[in-house]
Amino acid sequence: MSATPLLEGLHVVDLASFIAGPAAATILGDFGADVVKVEPPGAGDAYRSLSRMPPNPRVEGVNYPWQLDNRNKRSIALNLKAPDARAVVERLVAWADVLVTNFPPHTRAKLGLDYDDLAPLNARLVYADVTGFGEEGPDAHLPGFDVTAFWARSGLMDITRQHDAPPAMNAFGSGDHPTAISLFAGIMTALYRRERTGEGARVTASLVAEGAWAAGMWLQAVLVGGKGPRPSDRTDPPNALANAYRTADDRWLLLAFANEDKQVPLFLQAIGHPEAAENPHYADSQSRRAHAGEIAGVLDRTFAARPLAEWRQVLDAAGLTYGVAQTIEEFAHDPQLVANGILVPIDDGSTEPHLTVDSPVRLDQEPKVRPRPAPDLGEHTDSVLHDLGYDDAGIEELRKARAVA
């Protein structure tokens, strides 16, 4: 195992905001890249204010979303609209191996930040661009968040709701973070290509493409002439053995049997209904689907008779596959997270550091850097400018011109 992080020496400019783009840059930083976060003076990236907006939980003194998606970065406060800022941008591009942006197409064009504007400044630049709805088509110009472009547009919002219930809202960032992984994968692919060709490349990802990939099984069925699933009715599901059931202490279990013909007799024995194995309604998958509502009713009454802890013992003893609908609070203390390094301490110098969620990409042979605190706005403006070749007098001139803060 190398003691030197894999991406040490890689220079990354993060021109993006909110989650998907910046989170991809964070993963690069987790593997040791030097990531410079470019933010507008004043308020900075609007994502900084998210922890103060309802319905997010308030944690006094801890900007938890900012820490999650912007650790291991340096921050420079740069006014991209100021004429004198252009020289700084061009030096950043020349310095960078990777540039990440999520500006809408018209904004990129107005600021001179399109790929065609920047690629001539650095032939080896990997330009990574993430959008809501892709680069082409009638909606390419629209702003997109994960709830609109990933969750709603893809059909996921519709097919995961219960019958006759309103659409379910997704967990904030649940479309952004997988899109960040796709963007990271694209960046690493482009860097591999650069090793072979010596040339930079443009990488694209979008929330709508990630939504299509997430809904891919259903989407593919429709593309070949099948009928898409409708919102489910838990009391009359397509499959009673892939359904949720409430226990006596108001918890929810989800059954998930991959090999039903083998597992159903074991299951019926475990839950105290061995006689049902002789019932033709349970005989095979076709019969079980045809009588799913009836079976769901039996299982509703069965699971409602005992608390979750007892059912876990029963199902575990039988070796059956199931899930428990945990709360976020329970998940935060799930021993699997610490055991597998999914939660890691922030290297903030305190005796009892806070934990943060590690990025899910890992290599056993390549260590990640310990997560450092996310930067304050403009915390590293001077050090970044010095790295770009500016002296103190030059930095002062940039401040006088309101190009940096």
Side-chain angles (χ1 to χ4, degrees):
M1 179 182 291
S2 172
T4 303
L6 179 65
L7 299 183
E8 185 171 297
L10 190 79
H11 297 160
V12 180
V13 174
D14 176 6
L15 277 171
S17 60
F18 280 92
I19 303 178
T26 293
I27 304 170
L28 295 168
D30 287 346
F31 282 101
D34 182 4
V35 182
V36 171
K37 174 80 176 178
V38 179
E39 301 181 73
D45 183 344
Y47 191 43
R48 285 182 177 273
S49 65
L50 188 71
S51 66
R52 300 192 298 271
M53 298 168 60
N56 292 293
R58 293 181 178 274
V59 183
E60 294 301 326
V62 180
N63 193 334
Y64 58 91
W66 185 252
Q67 174 61 43
L68 176 65
D69 292 311
N70 288 282
R71 60 176 177 255
N72 297 334
K73 298 180 183 180
R74 297 190 287 165
S75 170
I76 176 175
L78 180 65
N79 180 8
L80 294 174
K81 297 178 181 178
D84 289 47
R86 185 65 190 181
V88 179
V89 169
E90 292 182 356
R91 291 199 194 193
L92 281 168
V93 171
W95 171 86
D97 295 289
V98 179
L99 183 143
V100 181
T101 180
N102 67 345
F103 286 124
H106 67 279
T107 302
R108 287 200 316 261
K110 185 176 180 180
L111 294 173
L113 296 175
D114 277 327
Y115 175 70
D116 291 340
D117 297 320
L118 302 184
L121 304 175
N122 181 349
R124 289 172 55 82
L125 180 69
V126 173
Y127 180 102
D129 178 30
V130 60
T131 62
F133 299 99
E135 294 289 331
E136 305 294 337
D139 294 339
H141 67 287
L142 295 178
F145 291 96
D146 66 346
V147 68
T148 59
F150 171 86
W151 188 242
R153 187 70 171 255
S154 67
L156 288 168
M157 178 179 277
D158 179 61
I159 61 179
T160 55
R161 67 187 174 94
Q162 288 293 304
H163 180 66
D164 288 337
M169 297 293 287
N170 66 321
F172 196 87
S174 58
D176 286 305
H177 282 128
T179 304
I181 295 292
S182 293
L183 190 64
F184 169 77
I187 290 168
M188 296 304 295
T189 302
L191 289 171
Y192 179 72
R193 176 183 181 273
R194 192 177 75 173
E195 287 299 303
R196 301 186 67 176
T197 67
E199 300 174 349
R202 183 181 185 188
V203 176
T204 61
S206 70
L207 291 164
V208 73
E210 199 70 31
W213 187 243
M217 184 177 294
W218 297 294
L219 182 57
Q220 186 65 59
V222 173
L223 290 174
V224 297
K227 187 176 181 180
R230 301 272 46 89
S232 62
D233 180 350
R234 199 195 60 76
T235 64
D236 188 16
N239 180 2
L241 299 178
N243 198 31
Y245 296 97
R246 194 197 305 261
T247 64
D249 51 347
D250 203 29
R251 300 301 305 272
W252 288 92
L253 278 169
L254 179 69
L255 302 181
F257 298 160
N259 186 348
E260 286 188 17
D261 289 339
K262 178 181 177 180
Q263 292 176 299
V264 165
L266 296 174
F267 172 65
L268 295 174
Q269 179 74 33
I271 66 173
H273 288 291
E275 76 288 347
E278 306 302 320
N279 187 330
H281 292 181
Y282 293 78
D284 53 38
S285 60
Q286 185 174 352
S287 298
R288 290 189 292 268
R289 300 300 185 274
H291 299 91
E294 171 193 327
I295 296 171
V298 172
L299 296 182
D300 263 337
R301 294 187 294 274
T302 300
F303 280 108
R306 300 169 72 176
L308 174 63
E310 292 186 21
W311 283 122
R312 294 189 74 154
Q313 291 178 344
V314 167
L315 297 173
D316 286 343
L320 296 164
T321 309
Y322 69 96
V324 176
Q326 293 197 127
T327 66
I328 287 291
E329 289 79 9
E330 288 173 324
F331 193 41
H333 298 93
D334 193 319
Q336 288 299 113
L337 299 187
V338 174
N340 290 282
I342 297 168
L343 298 182
V344 291
I346 300 171
D347 191 9
D348 59 2
S350 61
T351 55
E352 295 185 8
H354 291 97
L355 295 175
T356 192
V357 184
D358 193 17
S359 51
V361 179
R362 60 187 64 206
L363 288 75
D364 285 351
Q365 291 75 22
E366 298 294 340
K368 291 183 179 179
V369 301
R370 290 190 64 184
R372 299 186 304 274
D376 292 332
L377 174 60
E379 180 180 347
H380 306 97
T381 295
D382 286 15
S383 67
V384 170
L385 291 173
H386 281 137
D387 287 350
L388 298 179
Y390 286 93
D391 58 18
D392 290 343
I395 294 173
E396 184 59 29
E397 288 299 316
L398 289 171
R399 284 206 166 89
K400 287 180 180 178
R402 298 185 181 277
V404 301

